[in-house]
Amino acid sequence: MSSFVVALDVGGTSMKGGLVSESGVVLLTERRPTPREDGPAAVVTAIRDFISHLAASGDGIPAGVGLAVPGLVSENSALYSANIGWRDVPAADFTALDVPVRLGHDVQTGGLAESVLGAGRGVDDFLFLPIGTGIAGALILRGEPYGGASGWGGEIGHIPVFPDGEQCACGQFGCLETYASAASVGRRYSQRANVSGVKAEEVVASDDPIAVEVWDEAVEALSLALATYTLLLDPTMIVLGGGLAEAGPALFDPVRTRLVKRLAFRDAPPLLPAALGVDAGMLGASLLGWRAAGRPEIGAGWTVNVRSAPLVS
């Protein structure tokens, strides 16, 4: 029986892949660019090539393949992705290997990893909210991601926190993502300060009055969205991840303070940092790979230290 799976987390900019053993050892990790500008067919081909390369790096044939991809996803098909442009791509098209394959939504797959291996281990329900270029959430119920009736559940980034506010790329107005994503924080500061290329971490660290104002609006938007989520679903806790969560106390302290103030008649849920960082998607994909192989029990006892694994950029 094969002792490893291929796991791949496909992002709009890059793909992170790895080989993960049944005991949770990350045997290898590598990154490759996502050729999104070349069209959806080129991305599918790049994924096939990457999976073949990773599989050839292992000892034998993998037991399965797990893929975390953006957009609307089922276990057997990548139904739609606005960022990549594909529609109704069967799971089998992503690999030339004759092994079981399972797909998962990228954020929900990261949430699965945090549930089984990370900050949500042993917790039945929580919100996993990675804040990066965009914002999307994964609602974890009874330890598993819940996508709702159509798979779109968790799109907290498009809650209208300021209904009369700026237009979002999605077409709506005042979305959380328009104010609190890393990309939006940098963009909104750059527009107001009449500069270019400023990154969110620079805004967070700056005492420039414009930077302070932009960051304050981001924190306000996030606290509003989290208060709404808390009042509706009463999560045991909220786990913040993604690049912007690396801001640490500069993010967590003001968001926590405002969330408490907005929940006047009840306690706020604990606000915790994600444990797996940028590795959550790949590790979640490895769990999908083992589930595809008929081994859903694998992962429960893992102690993962992916940062000690070989990394080839």
Side-chain angles (χ1 to χ4, degrees), residues 51-138:
I51 289 174
S52 294
H53 165 75
L54 290 167
S57 301
D59 183 13
I61 299 172
V65 173
L67 273 170
V69 298
L72 186 58
V73 185
S74 73
E75 290 184 1
N76 302 309
S77 181
L79 302 173
Y80 173 69
S81 170
N83 286 336
I84 294 178
W86 58 37
R87 288 182 180 271
D88 299 319
V89 182
D93 285 7
F94 288 108
T95 178
L97 304 175
D98 185 20
V99 299
V101 184
R102 182 170 296 188
L103 302 180
H105 181 275
D106 52 359
V107 176
Q108 292 178 16
T109 301
L112 173 65
E114 287 290 343
S115 175
V116 176
L117 308 171
R121 190 194 291 260
V123 177
D124 281 343
D125 67 286
F126 64 94
L127 170 65
F128 172 58
L129 188 68
I131 308 173
T133 303
I135 298 178

Side-chain angles (χ1 to χ4, degrees), residues 8 113 122 310:
L8 189 60

Side-chain angles (χ1 to χ4, degrees), residues 9 25 39 44 47 58 65 73 91 98 102 107 117 159 166 171 189 223 234 244 248 262 278 295 301 307 311:
D9 179 20
V25 176
V44 173
I47 291 171
V65 173
V73 185
D98 185 20
R102 182 170 296 188
V107 176
L117 308 171
I159 286 179
E166 298 178 17
Y189 174 83
S223 69
D234 189 26
L244 204 57
R262 292 195 177 281
V278 297
R295 304 287 303 280
R307 301 182 197 285
L311 181 62

Side-chain angles (χ1 to χ4, degrees), residues 166-178:
E166 298 178 17
Q167 186 170 18
C168 179
C170 75
Q172 298 179 161
F173 288 85
C175 292
L176 171 64
E177 183 172 295
T178 305

Side-chain angles (χ1 to χ4, degrees), residues 158-248:
H158 297 289
I159 286 179
V161 289
F162 302 129
D164 297 323
E166 298 178 17
Q167 186 170 18
C168 179
C170 75
Q172 298 179 161
F173 288 85
C175 292
L176 171 64
E177 183 172 295
T178 305
Y179 291 87
S181 70
S184 293
V185 169
R187 172 187 57 78
R188 298 183 77 241
Y189 174 83
S190 297
Q191 289 175 344
R192 293 188 190 183
N194 197 27
V195 295
S196 61
V198 178
K199 296 182 178 180
E201 56 263 35
E202 298 174 86
V203 177
V204 175
S206 175
D207 58 2
D208 179 321
I210 297 176
V212 171
E213 181 180 56
V214 167
W215 183 239
D216 183 75
E217 290 169 351
V219 168
E220 180 74 358
L222 192 55
S223 69
L224 282 165
L226 293 180
T228 299
Y229 186 95
T230 297
L231 291 168
L232 184 63
L233 291 170
D234 189 26
T236 300
M237 66 183 185
I238 296 170
V239 177
L240 299 184
L244 204 57
E246 299 297 321

Side-chain angles (χ1 to χ4, degrees), residues 140-153:
I140 306 299
L141 289 178
R142 293 179 289 279
E144 293 288 330
Y146 176 69
S150 61
W152 284 105

